[in-house]
Amino acid sequence: MHKPPSHWDIFCSVIDNYGDIGVTWRLARQLAAEYAIAVRLWVDDLHAFRHIYPAVDDTAATQWIDAVEIRHWATPLGRMEPGGVIIEALGCNLPDSFILAMANQSPTPVWINLEYLSAENWVSGVHGLPSPHPRLPLTKYFFMPGYTPETGGLTQEKWLYQRRDVFQRDTQAQTRFWASLGLPDTDARRLRISLFSYESASLASLLDTCAKGNTPIDLMVPLGKAVPQIAAWFNAADAQAGDTFRRGNLQVHVLAMLSLDDYDRLLWACDLNFVRGEDSFVRAQFAARPLIWQAYRQEESAHLDKLAAFLDLYCAGLPPADAGLVRDLWQAWNREEDPGGEKDIGALWPVWLEAMPGLSRHARDWATHLAGQTDLASNLVKFINKLLESRAF
Ligand code: TRH
């Protein structure tokens, strides 16, 4: 039998936005809550963390939240004893002094490189591979999140589906939720859409078509990159949380950024969600509602390969006409070419709205399919235990 590792250190460097901290915090708190693992989470930007989790004190060097010890990852890190498991999340590089301390530990810690999520085929080939350190007696293992059983899976908390289903069945809970955001319970005949996106050349075209269309729409937009563009479209100098703008059949509600768990509720409460990056994208899939994804832009358009790979998986279960529509509209939203043209989101939007009943059924089937898979934290714990067992003999 192997001895359980003392504690786990998870390192998160916020490159930009909120996805890096969203992904790592979610995992850290799940490991603590569901596996009683002592987790120490190192975060270099507590300010970004506080944006999505207001309980965070962005001035504290050390704090405890939800049974996770949160440490500010300052530079230099200072001397400290590495835990039995080290997770280097999302391409953050560990300080050399810390790697040296890991090499001097006996036994050396299990070292995991937790990568970004992708639906691309190569992911399953890399998942679990060892990468020995060129000089030190350390091996780092690739752990690849993904959509198939050959990958590390997706972060899905044990409470997720029950909480979602209770909320989606409970109209009073939804009314209370809208009220907590300062919104009246929206009329059931209006389509409720959330929008979380980067700046986009296609945004004006989307707003145009929504305003001119026959379907009354409430667009909920948490403060962020799209808001200045939306304000400009309404000829407003700027927009604040609490503002509502109206034109034609479109009503836009600007929201303060929600806490991580309220953001889940927003996704569950809306009929359709525009999401981006990694974490909001996955949470929108779990929401069992149709979604439109804007991938995080990468050099040489690598994000378009990620987009195509996900579309192959997601569209496989759709009738050809709907599959074609999802592909065309997502591509239009991501390519931002030809704004106002015939393959632009504005042109495809009316067809999308007509297809909503079928797309909604598919979104539920997809979420059910994902719920049937082993989640990332379980896979990670199993993977690490296996490594430790193999070292014990
Ligand atoms: O914010 P993102 O664009 O983040 C990232 C980072 O840019 C990262 O560097 C990049 O590599 C990655 O994308 C792919 O999008 P994402 O991943 O959806 O993260 C947003 C987080 O913010 C997510 O955890 C949900 C959370 N959130 C809230 O908590 N409240 C809100 O109101 C909103 C809109 C989001």
Side-chain angles (χ1 to χ4, degrees), residues 114-392:
L114 175 66
E115 272 295 345
Y116 288 103
L117 169 65
S118 172
E120 289 162 293
N121 281 334
W122 57 265
V123 165
S124 54
V126 174
H127 177 60
L129 287 185
S131 163
H133 193 281
R135 292 181 316 280
L136 299 169
L138 288 169
T139 300
K140 180 154 73 172
Y141 292 87
F142 288 101
F143 198 89
M144 311 296 293
Y147 294 92
T148 62
E150 296 75 37
T151 67
L154 301 168
T155 294
Q156 312 180 57
E157 302 89 347
K158 285 212 165 72
W159 48 256
L160 175 62
Y161 298 109
Q162 202 215 354
R163 245 186 235 180
R164 178 201 65 190
D165 290 345
V166 168
F167 183 82
Q168 288 184 335
R169 276 196 294 263
D170 185 345
T171 48
Q172 286 182 0
Q174 289 168 43
T175 302
R176 284 195 299 278
F177 174 67
W178 293 122
S180 75
L181 301 182
L183 299 174
D185 193 10
T186 62
D187 180 341
R189 285 163 303 183
R190 301 182 67 83
L191 201 65
R192 282 161 299 199
I193 303 178
S194 79
L195 178 90
F196 180 47
S197 74
Y198 307 111
E199 296 88 355
S200 167
S202 298
L203 189 54
S205 182
L206 175 68
L207 299 174
D208 278 338
T209 191
C210 289
K212 288 183 195 142
N214 297 327
T215 310
I217 289 176
D218 280 306
L219 190 66
M220 326 290 174
V221 189
L223 277 178
K225 292 179 183 289
V227 169
Q229 261 190 292
I230 292 176
W233 187 81
F234 280 102
N235 300 317
D238 64 0
Q240 311 292 336
D243 287 348
T244 295
F245 298 97
R246 293 186 184 85
R247 188 184 292 177
N249 251 337
L250 172 66
Q251 237 173 213
V252 174
H253 306 280
V254 180
L255 308 177
M257 196 137 174
L258 284 77
S259 73
L260 207 62
D261 298 321
D262 271 346
Y263 183 61
D264 264 344
R265 289 185 193 94
L266 181 70
L267 297 171
W268 301 341
C270 284
D271 302 301
L272 167 68
N273 296 297
F274 282 81
V275 283
R276 73 185 202 193
E278 177 165 328
D279 194 49
S280 58
F281 174 43
V282 173
R283 300 312 279 190
Q285 294 173 54
F286 298 152
R289 297 281 154 91
L291 68 154
I292 296 170
W293 178 41
Q294 187 181 24
Y296 180 79
R297 283 188 202 109
Q298 288 175 285
E299 278 173 27
E300 293 171 14
S301 299
H303 60 294
L304 295 180
D305 295 336
K306 279 191 170 183
L307 179 75
F310 180 80
L311 281 168
D312 284 347
L313 286 183
Y314 189 73
C315 293
L318 273 169
D322 284 353
L325 175 65
V326 172
R327 282 178 188 282
D328 286 350
L329 192 134
W330 284 34
Q331 298 277 6
W333 187 236
N334 281 275
R335 288 183 185 274
E336 303 171 50
E337 288 161 358
D338 190 25
E342 69 180 34
K343 276 277 177 178
D344 174 55
I345 189 161
L348 297 165
W349 185 248
V351 194
W352 180 281
L353 291 186
E354 271 180 34
M356 275 291 283
L359 297 178
S360 302
R361 279 193 300 278
H362 180 65
R364 183 147 291 276
D365 291 348
W366 178 253
T368 305
H369 161 70
L370 295 180
Q373 302 202 346
T374 309
D375 71 286
L376 187 141
S378 304
N379 282 330
L380 185 61
V381 170
K382 259 187 246 152
F383 182 78
I384 287 168
N385 281 340
K386 224 166 152 185
L387 281 175
L388 291 169
E389 295 285 357
S390 68
R391 283 179 178 190

